[in-house]
């Protein structure tokens, strides 16, 4: 489109670029690097151990490590604690008294011929992968018992998946993992 400073291209999550950025056609183009994911192999320890690196890779879901539901802030999704006798009201460090919203976290291992990496998914991505919302998951857990997670591992194991994510460092666990931003699979 025609922007303030001339022609511009807007790159979104679903945009596909078919020419390489270093080709002559793109020599005068500036890019917004925050939306570019670096294709890597899973043995690229430099990228997988670089907090904030935006990476892209493919593999299969080789294991499901952890699924949990927590009470989250309706504004920012941070963990909240129930602060009154009202079941749906909690206290957020940032927003004070808020409505409690159930939030989901799922940790998977993605593997291919070059290695394996831990990937963390949150609400919308989990809903897309598993086909249920955090409210539905909370209801299932309450019906089945707290130890029964509503994840049917057999339905997602060995599924091929393409990941775009951001590397993050967890100080409590002293490990790097990939926080999922977008996936196809």
């Amino acid at each position: 489109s025609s922007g303030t400073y001339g022609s511009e291209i807007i790159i979104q999550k679903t945009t596909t670029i078919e020419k390489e950025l270093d080709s002559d056609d793109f020599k005068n183009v500036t890019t917004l690097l925050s939306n570019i994911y670096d294709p890597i192999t899973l043995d690229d320890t430099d990228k997988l151990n670089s907090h904030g690196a935006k990476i892209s890779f493919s593999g299969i879901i080789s294991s499901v490590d952890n699924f949990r539901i927590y009470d989250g802030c309706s504004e920012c999704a941070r963990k909240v604690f129930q602060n009154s006798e009202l079941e749906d009201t909690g206290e957020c460090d940032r927003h004070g008294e808020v409505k409690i919203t159930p939030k989901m976290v799922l940790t998977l291992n993605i593997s291919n011929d070059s290695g394996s990496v831990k990937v963390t998914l949150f609400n919308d991505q989990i809903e897309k992968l598993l086909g249920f919302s955090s409210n539905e998951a909370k209801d299932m857990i309450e019906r089945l018992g707290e130890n029964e997670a509503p994840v049917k591992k057999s339905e997602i194991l060995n599924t091929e998946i393409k990941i775009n994510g951001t590397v993050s460092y967890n100080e409590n666990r002293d490990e790097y993992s990939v926080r999922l931003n977008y996936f196809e699979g």
Side-chain angles (χ1 to χ4, degrees):
S1 73
S2 180
T4 306
Y5 302 103
S7 296
E8 65 180 27
I9 299 172
I10 299 172
I11 299 175
Q12 299 177 335
K13 288 182 182 179
T14 58
T15 301
T16 302
I17 299 174
E18 295 184 4
K19 292 189 179 231
E20 296 199 25
L21 291 177
D22 61 353
S23 76
D24 289 343
D25 294 335
F26 288 96
K27 66 183 175 188
N28 293 322
V29 174
T30 57
T31 60
L32 180 61
L33 294 176
S34 65
N35 289 328
I36 307 265
Y37 292 89
D38 221 0
I40 66 160
T41 58
L42 296 183
D43 59 357
D44 186 342
T45 54
D46 288 342
K47 287 286 186 183
L48 290 170
N49 293 324
S50 296
H51 181 77
K54 293 195 173 282
I55 58 175
S56 175
F57 57 89
S58 296
I60 63 163
I61 299 173
S62 55
S63 68
V64 177
D65 279 356
N66 186 15
F67 175 84
R68 66 184 175 90
I69 300 240
Y70 66 93
D71 290 335
C73 172
S74 56
E75 301 291 321
C76 67
R78 296 179 89 127
K79 188 171 185 173
V80 298
F81 298 96
Q82 193 172 346
N83 66 352
S84 70
E85 293 185 19
L86 298 173
E87 287 184 24
D88 65 343
T89 303
E91 188 71 29
C92 173
D93 291 342
R94 288 186 179 171
H95 298 101
E97 189 171 282
V98 294
K99 180 179 179 187
I100 293 175
T101 309
K103 302 293 181 182
M104 300 184 284
V105 179
L106 175 65
T107 306
L108 306 171
N109 278 311
I110 308 297
S111 303
N112 63 27
D113 293 339
S114 62
S116 180
V117 68
K118 189 178 286 193
V119 177
T120 306
L121 292 79
F122 295 91
N123 296 300
D124 293 344
Q125 296 109 359
I126 298 169
E127 187 170 337
K128 180 179 172 186
L129 180 67
L130 300 177
F132 53 77
S133 70
S134 56
N135 285 323
E136 292 167 329
K138 186 174 181 177
D139 290 343
M140 283 186 257
I141 289 173
E142 287 172 359
R143 260 193 349 261
L144 299 172
E146 194 160 329
N147 295 328
E148 296 293 322
V151 177
K152 294 188 172 110
K153 294 178 185 179
S154 62
E155 291 180 8
I156 61 172
L157 286 177
N158 298 315
T159 300
E160 260 190 68
I161 190 167
K162 181 178 184 209
I163 302 285
N164 287 349
T166 306
V167 177
S168 62
Y169 178 71
N170 183 325
E171 289 181 16
N172 295 329
R173 293 189 191 138
D174 189 29
E175 69 181 7
Y176 289 91
S177 68
V178 177
R179 181 183 175 128
L180 181 79
N181 296 329
Y182 176 77
F183 78 92
E184 292 176 12

